[in-house]
Amino acid sequence: MASGRQRLPSTTALQVLLAVAERGSTSAAAESTSLSQSAVSKQLLALENLIGSPAFVRTPRGMIPTEVGSIYIEHARTVLKAMEDAALRVARLKPGPRVLRLQVLPIFGDRWLLPRFAQFAEKHPDIEVQFTTFVSPTQSEVPDGIFHFLAEPRQEKNLHYLFGHEVLLVSAPSYWEKNGMPETIADLARGEMLEHPQTPLHWRYFVESNGAAELEVRHITRFGYYTMVIRAALAGQGMALVPRGLMLEELAAGKLVNPRGLGYRSSYGYWFATPHEVKPNSSMEAFRTWLMAQAEEMRD
Protein backbone atom coordinates (compact mmCIF):
# COMPACT_ATOMS: atom_id res chain seq x y z
CA MET A 1 0.00 0.00 0.00
CA ALA A 2 1.34 3.43 -0.92
CA SER A 3 2.12 5.71 1.99
CA GLY A 4 0.49 9.11 2.43
CA ARG A 5 3.79 10.79 1.60
CA GLN A 6 4.01 9.02 -1.73
CA ARG A 7 0.51 10.21 -2.59
CA LEU A 8 1.11 13.92 -2.01
CA PRO A 9 0.36 16.05 -5.10
CA SER A 10 2.72 18.79 -6.27
CA THR A 11 2.11 22.44 -5.46
CA THR A 12 1.58 23.09 -9.18
CA ALA A 13 -1.19 20.49 -9.24
CA LEU A 14 -2.82 22.09 -6.21
CA GLN A 15 -2.62 25.54 -7.82
CA VAL A 16 -4.27 24.12 -10.94
CA LEU A 17 -6.96 22.47 -8.80
CA LEU A 18 -7.86 25.78 -7.15
CA ALA A 19 -7.75 27.70 -10.42
CA VAL A 20 -10.13 25.28 -12.13
CA ALA A 21 -12.46 25.36 -9.12
CA GLU A 22 -12.53 29.16 -9.08
CA ARG A 23 -12.86 29.69 -12.82
CA GLY A 24 -14.82 26.66 -13.97
CA SER A 25 -12.69 25.53 -16.91
CA THR A 26 -9.15 24.50 -17.84
CA SER A 27 -8.86 27.31 -20.39
CA ALA A 28 -9.71 29.96 -17.79
CA ALA A 29 -7.40 28.28 -15.27
CA ALA A 30 -4.58 28.41 -17.81
CA GLU A 31 -4.89 32.20 -17.98
CA SER A 32 -4.61 32.62 -14.22
CA THR A 33 -1.75 30.15 -13.71
CA SER A 34 0.36 31.23 -16.72
CA LEU A 35 0.32 27.63 -17.99
CA SER A 36 -0.92 26.31 -21.31
CA GLN A 37 -4.35 24.68 -21.36
CA SER A 38 -2.65 21.40 -22.22
CA ALA A 39 -0.38 21.70 -19.17
CA VAL A 40 -3.35 22.48 -16.93
CA SER A 41 -5.23 19.42 -18.24
CA LYS A 42 -2.19 17.20 -17.68
CA GLN A 43 -1.71 18.48 -14.12
CA LEU A 44 -5.38 17.90 -13.36
CA LEU A 45 -5.35 14.41 -14.88
CA ALA A 46 -2.21 13.50 -12.92
CA LEU A 47 -3.87 14.72 -9.72
CA GLU A 48 -7.03 12.72 -10.41
CA ASN A 49 -4.94 9.60 -11.13
CA LEU A 50 -3.07 10.17 -7.88
CA ILE A 51 -6.17 10.47 -5.72
CA GLY A 52 -7.96 7.74 -7.65
CA SER A 53 -11.11 9.73 -8.32
CA PRO A 54 -12.35 12.60 -10.53
CA ALA A 55 -11.97 16.00 -8.90
CA PHE A 56 -14.62 17.60 -11.12
CA VAL A 57 -17.74 16.74 -13.04
CA ARG A 58 -17.54 18.12 -16.57
CA THR A 59 -20.84 19.81 -17.52
CA PRO A 60 -21.90 22.18 -20.34
CA ARG A 61 -22.03 24.95 -17.73
CA GLY A 62 -18.52 24.36 -16.42
CA MET A 63 -16.49 22.03 -14.22
CA ILE A 64 -18.15 21.35 -10.87
CA PRO A 65 -16.13 19.90 -7.93
CA THR A 66 -17.03 16.37 -6.84
CA GLU A 67 -17.21 15.46 -3.15
CA VAL A 68 -13.63 14.17 -3.35
CA GLY A 69 -12.55 17.27 -5.25
CA SER A 70 -14.13 19.55 -2.64
CA ILE A 71 -12.10 17.84 0.11
CA TYR A 72 -8.86 18.36 -1.79
CA ILE A 73 -9.80 21.96 -2.68
CA GLU A 74 -10.37 22.79 0.98
CA HIS A 75 -7.01 21.40 2.09
CA ALA A 76 -5.15 22.73 -0.97
CA ARG A 77 -6.03 26.23 0.17
CA THR A 78 -4.49 25.56 3.58
CA VAL A 79 -1.33 24.02 2.11
CA LEU A 80 -0.69 26.80 -0.40
CA LYS A 81 -1.47 29.43 2.20
CA ALA A 82 1.17 27.98 4.50
CA MET A 83 3.73 28.07 1.67
CA GLU A 84 2.81 31.69 0.90
CA ASP A 85 3.28 32.59 4.57
CA ALA A 86 6.72 30.99 4.59
CA ALA A 87 7.77 32.74 1.38
CA LEU A 88 6.61 36.11 2.71
CA ARG A 89 8.42 35.72 6.01
CA VAL A 90 11.65 34.84 4.19
CA ALA A 91 11.24 37.72 1.74
CA ARG A 92 10.77 40.17 4.59
CA LEU A 93 14.19 39.16 5.96
CA LYS A 94 15.84 40.55 2.84
CA PRO A 95 17.14 44.13 2.82
CA GLY A 96 15.54 46.75 0.62
CA PRO A 97 11.93 47.82 0.02
CA ARG A 98 9.38 45.84 1.92
CA VAL A 99 7.48 43.05 0.20
CA LEU A 100 3.74 43.70 -0.05
CA ARG A 101 1.27 40.87 0.27
CA LEU A 102 -2.25 41.63 -0.90
CA GLN A 103 -5.29 39.51 -0.15
CA VAL A 104 -7.42 39.69 -3.30
CA LEU A 105 -10.91 38.43 -4.09
CA PRO A 106 -10.60 36.08 -7.11
CA ILE A 107 -13.21 37.83 -9.29
CA PHE A 108 -11.80 41.27 -8.46
CA GLY A 109 -8.23 40.21 -9.15
CA ASP A 110 -9.09 38.36 -12.34
CA ARG A 111 -11.28 41.03 -13.94
CA TRP A 112 -9.98 44.35 -12.56
CA LEU A 113 -6.74 44.39 -10.60
CA LEU A 114 -4.42 42.06 -12.52
CA PRO A 115 -5.17 43.48 -16.00
CA ARG A 116 -3.98 46.86 -14.64
CA PHE A 117 -1.20 45.67 -12.35
CA ALA A 118 1.50 45.69 -15.05
CA GLN A 119 1.35 49.49 -14.93
CA PHE A 120 2.26 49.50 -11.25
CA ALA A 121 4.97 46.86 -11.68
CA GLU A 122 6.56 48.84 -14.51
CA LYS A 123 6.48 52.06 -12.50
CA HIS A 124 7.81 50.42 -9.30
CA PRO A 125 10.08 47.52 -10.33
CA ASP A 126 11.78 47.57 -6.92
CA ILE A 127 8.57 46.69 -5.04
CA GLU A 128 7.78 42.99 -4.79
CA VAL A 129 4.06 42.20 -4.56
CA GLN A 130 2.63 38.82 -3.61
CA PHE A 131 -1.05 37.96 -4.10
CA THR A 132 -3.19 35.60 -2.06
CA THR A 133 -6.89 34.92 -2.56
CA PHE A 134 -7.99 33.49 0.77
CA VAL A 135 -7.29 33.37 4.49
CA SER A 136 -6.49 30.13 6.25
CA PRO A 137 -7.41 29.62 9.92
CA THR A 138 -3.73 28.85 10.49
CA GLN A 139 -2.45 32.01 8.78
CA SER A 140 0.53 33.42 10.62
CA GLU A 141 1.27 36.50 8.53
CA VAL A 142 -1.14 39.43 8.33
CA PRO A 143 -1.53 40.76 4.75
CA ASP A 144 -0.38 44.32 4.09
CA GLY A 145 -3.59 45.11 2.23
CA ILE A 146 -6.99 43.45 1.85
CA PHE A 147 -9.64 43.87 -0.83
CA HIS A 148 -13.23 43.50 0.38
CA PHE A 149 -16.67 43.28 -1.19
CA LEU A 150 -19.05 44.61 1.45
CA ALA A 151 -21.86 47.02 2.25
CA GLU A 152 -21.20 50.61 3.24
CA PRO A 153 -18.90 50.11 6.24
CA ARG A 154 -18.44 52.08 9.41
CA GLN A 155 -16.12 55.02 9.06
CA GLU A 156 -12.53 53.84 9.20
CA LYS A 157 -9.44 55.76 8.14
CA ASN A 158 -7.82 52.69 6.63
CA LEU A 159 -10.77 51.66 4.40
CA HIS A 160 -11.08 53.15 0.90
CA TYR A 161 -13.97 52.76 -1.58
CA LEU A 162 -12.97 51.70 -5.10
CA PHE A 163 -16.14 50.97 -7.09
CA GLY A 164 -19.11 48.61 -7.26
CA HIS A 165 -22.24 50.54 -6.25
CA GLU A 166 -23.38 50.77 -9.87
CA VAL A 167 -24.79 47.35 -10.83
CA LEU A 168 -26.04 46.68 -14.37
CA LEU A 169 -28.24 43.91 -15.77
CA VAL A 170 -26.43 42.41 -18.75
CA SER A 171 -26.18 39.49 -21.14
CA ALA A 172 -24.61 38.70 -24.50
CA PRO A 173 -26.23 40.09 -27.67
CA SER A 174 -27.31 36.53 -28.61
CA TYR A 175 -29.50 36.33 -25.50
CA TRP A 176 -31.34 39.56 -26.31
CA GLU A 177 -31.71 38.53 -29.95
CA LYS A 178 -33.36 35.30 -28.83
CA ASN A 179 -35.58 36.78 -26.11
CA GLY A 180 -36.12 40.30 -27.42
CA MET A 181 -34.99 43.61 -25.96
CA PRO A 182 -37.10 44.41 -22.88
CA GLU A 183 -39.39 47.42 -22.82
CA THR A 184 -40.17 47.03 -19.10
CA ILE A 185 -38.86 45.14 -16.08
CA ALA A 186 -41.85 42.83 -16.43
CA ASP A 187 -40.47 41.71 -19.81
CA LEU A 188 -37.32 40.51 -18.06
CA ALA A 189 -39.29 38.24 -15.75
CA ARG A 190 -39.87 35.82 -18.64
CA GLY A 191 -36.16 35.20 -18.93
CA GLU A 192 -33.30 33.30 -17.27
CA MET A 193 -31.39 34.80 -14.34
CA LEU A 194 -27.80 33.79 -13.49
CA GLU A 195 -26.72 34.16 -9.87
CA HIS A 196 -24.07 33.26 -7.31
CA PRO A 197 -25.79 32.46 -3.96
CA GLN A 198 -23.06 34.05 -1.80
CA THR A 199 -22.95 37.31 -3.78
CA PRO A 200 -25.69 39.86 -2.92
CA LEU A 201 -26.37 40.69 -6.59
CA HIS A 202 -29.71 38.96 -7.04
CA TRP A 203 -32.96 39.46 -8.93
CA ARG A 204 -34.86 40.37 -5.75
CA TYR A 205 -32.57 43.32 -5.02
CA PHE A 206 -32.90 44.49 -8.60
CA VAL A 207 -36.72 44.45 -8.63
CA GLU A 208 -36.97 45.92 -5.12
CA SER A 209 -34.77 48.84 -6.17
CA ASN A 210 -36.93 49.36 -9.25
CA GLY A 211 -40.26 49.34 -7.41
CA ALA A 212 -41.38 45.85 -8.50
CA ALA A 213 -40.63 43.79 -5.40
CA GLU A 214 -43.38 41.21 -6.07
CA LEU A 215 -42.15 40.39 -9.58
CA GLU A 216 -40.52 36.96 -9.86
CA VAL A 217 -38.27 35.82 -12.69
CA ARG A 218 -39.22 32.66 -14.61
CA HIS A 219 -36.05 30.70 -13.78
CA ILE A 220 -32.78 31.17 -11.89
CA THR A 221 -29.57 29.22 -12.51
CA ARG A 222 -27.05 29.38 -9.67
CA PHE A 223 -23.29 28.88 -9.91
CA GLY A 224 -20.74 28.14 -7.20
CA TYR A 225 -18.36 30.88 -8.42
CA TYR A 226 -19.18 34.41 -9.55
CA THR A 227 -16.69 34.11 -12.41
CA MET A 228 -18.95 31.40 -13.85
CA VAL A 229 -21.95 33.77 -13.66
CA ILE A 230 -20.15 36.27 -15.87
CA ARG A 231 -18.90 33.60 -18.26
CA ALA A 232 -22.41 32.21 -18.61
CA ALA A 233 -23.71 35.71 -19.36
CA LEU A 234 -21.00 36.15 -22.00
CA ALA A 235 -22.14 32.85 -23.53
CA GLY A 236 -25.72 34.13 -23.76
CA GLN A 237 -27.09 31.62 -21.23
CA GLY A 238 -29.01 34.23 -19.24
CA MET A 239 -29.00 37.62 -17.54
CA ALA A 240 -26.61 38.64 -14.77
CA LEU A 241 -26.30 41.56 -12.38
CA VAL A 242 -22.68 42.72 -12.48
CA PRO A 243 -20.85 45.77 -11.05
CA ARG A 244 -20.03 48.00 -14.00
CA GLY A 245 -16.34 48.14 -13.09
CA LEU A 246 -15.91 44.39 -13.63
CA MET A 247 -17.00 44.46 -17.28
CA LEU A 248 -15.89 47.76 -18.80
CA GLU A 249 -14.12 46.11 -21.74
CA GLU A 250 -17.01 43.76 -22.51
CA LEU A 251 -19.51 46.62 -22.48
CA ALA A 252 -17.30 48.77 -24.73
CA ALA A 253 -16.77 45.88 -27.17
CA GLY A 254 -20.46 44.95 -27.22
CA LYS A 255 -19.81 41.48 -25.80
CA LEU A 256 -22.25 42.33 -23.01
CA VAL A 257 -25.31 44.51 -23.53
CA ASN A 258 -27.13 46.50 -20.85
CA PRO A 259 -30.63 47.13 -22.27
CA ARG A 260 -32.22 50.52 -21.50
CA GLY A 261 -29.64 51.16 -18.79
CA LEU A 262 -31.40 48.72 -16.47
CA GLY A 263 -29.73 48.13 -13.13
CA TYR A 264 -29.69 49.51 -9.61
CA ARG A 265 -27.46 51.15 -7.03
CA SER A 266 -26.20 48.61 -4.54
CA SER A 267 -25.06 49.28 -1.01
CA TYR A 268 -22.21 46.83 -1.70
CA GLY A 269 -18.93 47.72 -3.32
CA TYR A 270 -15.23 46.91 -3.54
CA TRP A 271 -13.04 48.43 -0.83
CA PHE A 272 -9.33 48.38 0.02
CA ALA A 273 -8.15 48.17 3.62
CA THR A 274 -4.82 48.18 5.41
CA PRO A 275 -4.90 46.26 8.74
CA HIS A 276 -4.34 48.42 11.83
CA GLU A 277 -1.55 46.13 13.06
CA VAL A 278 0.54 46.65 9.90
CA LYS A 279 2.86 49.64 10.09
CA PRO A 280 2.68 52.15 7.18
CA ASN A 281 5.58 52.04 4.75
CA SER A 282 6.60 53.71 1.50
CA SER A 283 5.86 50.63 -0.62
CA MET A 284 2.25 50.49 0.56
CA GLU A 285 1.83 54.23 0.13
CA ALA A 286 3.01 53.95 -3.48
CA PHE A 287 0.61 51.09 -4.16
CA ARG A 288 -2.36 52.78 -2.49
CA THR A 289 -1.76 56.02 -4.42
CA TRP A 290 -1.66 54.10 -7.70
CA LEU A 291 -4.71 52.02 -6.77
CA MET A 292 -6.89 55.00 -5.90
CA ALA A 293 -5.89 56.78 -9.11
CA GLN A 294 -6.94 53.71 -11.11
CA ALA A 295 -10.30 53.58 -9.32
CA GLU A 296 -10.88 57.30 -9.80
CA GLU A 297 -10.44 56.95 -13.57
CA MET A 298 -13.43 54.62 -13.86
CA ARG A 299 -15.47 55.67 -10.80
CA ASP A 300 -19.22 55.17 -11.00
Side-chain angles (χ1 to χ4, degrees), residues 13 18 35 40 44 48 61 115 126 139 150-151 155 164 173 182 194 196 198 225 235 252 265 280:
L18 292 184
L35 297 172
V40 167
L44 184 57
E48 291 179 325
R61 294 182 181 273
D126 57 326
Q139 177 174 316
L150 41 76
Q155 294 298 318
L194 310 171
H196 171 46
Q198 281 73 53
Y225 294 93
R265 187 164 183 81

mmCIF file of all heavy atoms in Angstrom, residues 13 18 35 40 44 48 61 115 126 139 150-151 155 164 173 182 194 196 198 225 235 252 265 280:
data_model
loop_
_atom_site.group_PDB
_atom_site.id
_atom_site.type_symbol
_atom_site.label_atom_id
_atom_site.label_comp_id
_atom_site.label_asym_id
_atom_site.label_seq_id
_atom_site.Cartn_x
_atom_site.Cartn_y
_atom_site.Cartn_z
ATOM 1 N N ALA A 13 0.089 21.172 -9.088
ATOM 2 C CA ALA A 13 -1.188 20.485 -9.245
ATOM 3 C C ALA A 13 -2.249 21.102 -8.337
ATOM 4 O O ALA A 13 -3.409 21.259 -8.742
ATOM 5 C CB ALA A 13 -1.029 18.998 -8.936
ATOM 6 N N LEU A 18 -7.150 24.599 -7.635
ATOM 7 C CA LEU A 18 -7.864 25.777 -7.151
ATOM 8 C C LEU A 18 -8.280 26.688 -8.295
ATOM 9 O O LEU A 18 -9.380 27.257 -8.288
ATOM 10 C CB LEU A 18 -6.981 26.555 -6.170
ATOM 11 C CG LEU A 18 -6.680 25.876 -4.838
ATOM 12 C CD1 LEU A 18 -5.881 26.809 -3.943
ATOM 13 C CD2 LEU A 18 -7.955 25.459 -4.136
ATOM 14 N N LEU A 35 0.002 28.909 -17.360
ATOM 15 C CA LEU A 35 0.320 27.629 -17.991
ATOM 16 C C LEU A 35 -0.503 27.503 -19.263
ATOM 17 O O LEU A 35 -1.497 28.202 -19.447
ATOM 18 C CB LEU A 35 -0.006 26.465 -17.047
ATOM 19 C CG LEU A 35 0.769 26.387 -15.727
ATOM 20 C CD1 LEU A 35 0.170 25.284 -14.846
ATOM 21 C CD2 LEU A 35 2.241 26.110 -15.975
ATOM 22 N N VAL A 40 -2.348 22.502 -17.992
ATOM 23 C CA VAL A 40 -3.354 22.480 -16.929
ATOM 24 C C VAL A 40 -4.098 21.152 -16.931
ATOM 25 O O VAL A 40 -4.304 20.523 -15.890
ATOM 26 C CB VAL A 40 -4.345 23.655 -17.094
ATOM 27 C CG1 VAL A 40 -5.578 23.455 -16.195
ATOM 28 C CG2 VAL A 40 -3.661 24.968 -16.747
ATOM 29 N N LEU A 44 -4.123 18.332 -13.957
ATOM 30 C CA LEU A 44 -5.380 17.901 -13.356
ATOM 31 C C LEU A 44 -5.571 16.395 -13.491
ATOM 32 O O LEU A 44 -5.985 15.716 -12.542
ATOM 33 C CB LEU A 44 -6.551 18.641 -14.007
ATOM 34 C CG LEU A 44 -7.935 18.373 -13.420
ATOM 35 C CD1 LEU A 44 -7.968 18.698 -11.933
ATOM 36 C CD2 LEU A 44 -8.991 19.192 -14.165
ATOM 37 N N GLU A 48 -5.904 13.635 -10.503
ATOM 38 C CA GLU A 48 -7.031 12.716 -10.409
ATOM 39 C C GLU A 48 -6.555 11.261 -10.389
ATOM 40 O O GLU A 48 -7.124 10.425 -9.674
ATOM 41 C CB GLU A 48 -8.003 12.959 -11.561
ATOM 42 C CG GLU A 48 -8.734 14.301 -11.438
ATOM 43 C CD GLU A 48 -9.681 14.574 -12.580
ATOM 44 O OE1 GLU A 48 -9.363 14.167 -13.728
ATOM 45 O OE2 GLU A 48 -10.724 15.200 -12.358
ATOM 46 N N ARG A 61 -22.096 23.655 -18.419
ATOM 47 C CA ARG A 61 -22.030 24.946 -17.727
ATOM 48 C C ARG A 61 -20.708 25.158 -16.983
ATOM 49 O O ARG A 61 -20.537 26.163 -16.298
ATOM 50 C CB ARG A 61 -23.204 25.078 -16.756
ATOM 51 C CG ARG A 61 -24.562 25.135 -17.456
ATOM 52 C CD ARG A 61 -25.680 25.324 -16.427
ATOM 53 N NE ARG A 61 -26.975 25.363 -17.070
ATOM 54 C CZ ARG A 61 -27.537 26.466 -17.561
ATOM 55 N NH1 ARG A 61 -26.900 27.604 -17.476
ATOM 56 N NH2 ARG A 61 -28.741 26.427 -18.122
ATOM 57 N N PRO A 115 -5.355 42.869 -14.677
ATOM 58 C CA PRO A 115 -5.168 43.483 -15.996
ATOM 59 C C PRO A 115 -4.505 44.857 -15.946
ATOM 60 O O PRO A 115 -3.908 45.290 -16.925
ATOM 61 C CB PRO A 115 -6.605 43.607 -16.527
ATOM 62 C CG PRO A 115 -7.344 42.510 -15.852
ATOM 63 C CD PRO A 115 -6.756 42.473 -14.459
ATOM 64 N N ASP A 126 11.079 47.947 -8.144
ATOM 65 C CA ASP A 126 11.784 47.574 -6.920
ATOM 66 C C ASP A 126 10.848 47.057 -5.833
ATOM 67 O O ASP A 126 11.308 46.559 -4.800
ATOM 68 C CB ASP A 126 12.556 48.780 -6.380
ATOM 69 C CG ASP A 126 11.650 49.976 -6.121
ATOM 70 O OD1 ASP A 126 10.667 50.148 -6.876
ATOM 71 O OD2 ASP A 126 11.914 50.734 -5.175
ATOM 72 N N GLN A 139 -3.318 30.955 9.330
ATOM 73 C CA GLN A 139 -2.451 32.008 8.778
ATOM 74 C C GLN A 139 -1.636 32.664 9.879
ATOM 75 O O GLN A 139 -2.150 33.040 10.932
ATOM 76 C CB GLN A 139 -3.323 33.069 8.095
ATOM 77 C CG GLN A 139 -2.506 34.250 7.561
ATOM 78 C CD GLN A 139 -3.367 35.196 6.761
ATOM 79 O OE1 GLN A 139 -4.164 34.755 5.955
ATOM 80 N NE2 GLN A 139 -3.215 36.484 6.990
ATOM 81 N N LEU A 150 -18.154 44.500 0.294
ATOM 82 C CA LEU A 150 -19.046 44.609 1.447
ATOM 83 C C LEU A 150 -19.935 45.832 1.342
ATOM 84 O O LEU A 150 -19.729 46.706 0.498
ATOM 85 C CB LEU A 150 -18.229 44.634 2.745
ATOM 86 C CG LEU A 150 -16.928 45.436 2.807
ATOM 87 C CD1 LEU A 150 -17.206 46.918 2.922
ATOM 88 C CD2 LEU A 150 -16.102 44.991 3.999
ATOM 89 N N ALA A 151 -20.943 45.883 2.212
ATOM 90 C CA ALA A 151 -21.857 47.016 2.253
ATOM 91 C C ALA A 151 -21.149 48.222 2.854
ATOM 92 O O ALA A 151 -20.067 48.103 3.434
ATOM 93 C CB ALA A 151 -23.099 46.656 3.052
ATOM 94 N N GLN A 155 -17.201 54.127 9.440
ATOM 95 C CA GLN A 155 -16.117 55.021 9.057
ATOM 96 C C GLN A 155 -14.782 54.552 9.640
ATOM 97 O O GLN A 155 -14.628 54.441 10.855
ATOM 98 C CB GLN A 155 -16.415 56.449 9.534
ATOM 99 C CG GLN A 155 -17.612 57.079 8.851
ATOM 100 C CD GLN A 155 -17.398 57.219 7.354
ATOM 101 O OE1 GLN A 155 -16.320 57.596 6.901
ATOM 102 N NE2 GLN A 155 -18.428 56.923 6.571
ATOM 103 N N GLY A 164 -18.218 49.749 -7.441
ATOM 104 C CA GLY A 164 -19.111 48.612 -7.263
ATOM 105 C C GLY A 164 -20.555 48.947 -6.975
ATOM 106 O O GLY A 164 -21.427 48.087 -7.105
ATOM 107 N N PRO A 173 -25.269 39.716 -26.634
ATOM 108 C CA PRO A 173 -26.233 40.087 -27.675
ATOM 109 C C PRO A 173 -27.109 38.918 -28.112
ATOM 110 O O PRO A 173 -28.292 39.101 -28.405
ATOM 111 C CB PRO A 173 -25.331 40.575 -28.815
ATOM 112 C CG PRO A 173 -24.103 41.065 -28.133
ATOM 113 C CD PRO A 173 -23.902 40.137 -26.971
ATOM 114 N N PRO A 182 -35.986 44.110 -23.787
ATOM 115 C CA PRO A 182 -37.102 44.412 -22.882
ATOM 116 C C PRO A 182 -37.534 45.874 -22.963
ATOM 117 O O PRO A 182 -36.711 46.775 -23.091
ATOM 118 C CB PRO A 182 -36.528 44.092 -21.508
ATOM 119 C CG PRO A 182 -35.057 44.371 -21.663
ATOM 120 C CD PRO A 182 -34.715 43.932 -23.061
ATOM 121 N N LEU A 194 -29.020 34.482 -13.909
ATOM 122 C CA LEU A 194 -27.805 33.793 -13.486
ATOM 123 C C LEU A 194 -27.325 34.424 -12.182
ATOM 124 O O LEU A 194 -27.148 35.642 -12.119
ATOM 125 C CB LEU A 194 -26.715 33.922 -14.560
ATOM 126 C CG LEU A 194 -27.125 33.569 -15.989
ATOM 127 C CD1 LEU A 194 -26.021 33.960 -16.965
ATOM 128 C CD2 LEU A 194 -27.449 32.088 -16.108
ATOM 129 N N HIS A 196 -24.979 33.937 -8.240
ATOM 130 C CA HIS A 196 -24.067 33.260 -7.309
ATOM 131 C C HIS A 196 -24.674 33.434 -5.920
ATOM 132 O O HIS A 196 -24.831 34.572 -5.441
ATOM 133 C CB HIS A 196 -22.678 33.893 -7.377
ATOM 134 C CG HIS A 196 -21.729 33.418 -6.325
ATOM 135 N ND1 HIS A 196 -21.562 32.096 -6.010
ATOM 136 C CD2 HIS A 196 -20.886 34.104 -5.508
ATOM 137 C CE1 HIS A 196 -20.666 31.978 -5.047
ATOM 138 N NE2 HIS A 196 -20.253 33.185 -4.715
ATOM 139 N N GLN A 198 -23.761 33.301 -2.852
ATOM 140 C CA GLN A 198 -23.062 34.048 -1.801
ATOM 141 C C GLN A 198 -22.776 35.500 -2.168
ATOM 142 O O GLN A 198 -22.184 36.238 -1.374
ATOM 143 C CB GLN A 198 -21.746 33.354 -1.444
ATOM 144 C CG GLN A 198 -21.909 32.150 -0.521
ATOM 145 C CD GLN A 198 -22.496 30.955 -1.233
ATOM 146 O OE1 GLN A 198 -21.992 30.539 -2.275
ATOM 147 N NE2 GLN A 198 -23.558 30.395 -0.687
ATOM 148 N N TYR A 225 -19.358 29.812 -8.349
ATOM 149 C CA TYR A 225 -18.362 30.879 -8.421
ATOM 150 C C TYR A 225 -18.907 32.021 -9.277
ATOM 151 O O TYR A 225 -19.537 31.782 -10.313
ATOM 152 C CB TYR A 225 -17.046 30.369 -9.015
ATOM 153 C CG TYR A 225 -16.353 29.361 -8.129
ATOM 154 C CD1 TYR A 225 -16.562 27.998 -8.298
ATOM 155 C CD2 TYR A 225 -15.507 29.773 -7.101
ATOM 156 C CE1 TYR A 225 -15.942 27.069 -7.467
ATOM 157 C CE2 TYR A 225 -14.888 28.855 -6.265
ATOM 158 C CZ TYR A 225 -15.101 27.506 -6.457
ATOM 159 O OH TYR A 225 -14.502 26.603 -5.633
ATOM 160 N N ALA A 235 -21.748 33.916 -22.615
ATOM 161 C CA ALA A 235 -22.136 32.852 -23.532
ATOM 162 C C ALA A 235 -23.607 32.939 -23.933
ATOM 163 O O ALA A 235 -24.103 32.103 -24.689
ATOM 164 C CB ALA A 235 -21.857 31.494 -22.905
ATOM 165 N N ALA A 252 -17.816 47.933 -23.644
ATOM 166 C CA ALA A 252 -17.303 48.769 -24.727
ATOM 167 C C ALA A 252 -17.232 48.005 -26.047
ATOM 168 O O ALA A 252 -17.477 48.558 -27.115
ATOM 169 C CB ALA A 252 -15.922 49.312 -24.358
ATOM 170 N N ARG A 265 -28.609 50.739 -7.842
ATOM 171 C CA ARG A 265 -27.465 51.155 -7.028
ATOM 172 C C ARG A 265 -27.419 50.287 -5.776
ATOM 173 O O ARG A 265 -28.341 50.301 -4.962
ATOM 174 C CB ARG A 265 -27.575 52.631 -6.664
ATOM 175 C CG ARG A 265 -26.315 53.154 -5.954
ATOM 176 C CD ARG A 265 -26.246 54.653 -5.935
ATOM 177 N NE ARG A 265 -25.010 55.111 -5.332
ATOM 178 C CZ ARG A 265 -23.842 55.186 -5.948
ATOM 179 N NH1 ARG A 265 -23.755 54.841 -7.216
ATOM 180 N NH2 ARG A 265 -22.769 55.632 -5.320
ATOM 181 N N PRO A 280 2.592 51.506 8.505
ATOM 182 C CA PRO A 280 2.676 52.147 7.180
ATOM 183 C C PRO A 280 4.102 52.116 6.659
ATOM 184 O O PRO A 280 5.065 52.162 7.428
ATOM 185 C CB PRO A 280 2.218 53.585 7.457
ATOM 186 C CG PRO A 280 1.466 53.517 8.747
ATOM 187 C CD PRO A 280 2.124 52.423 9.543
#
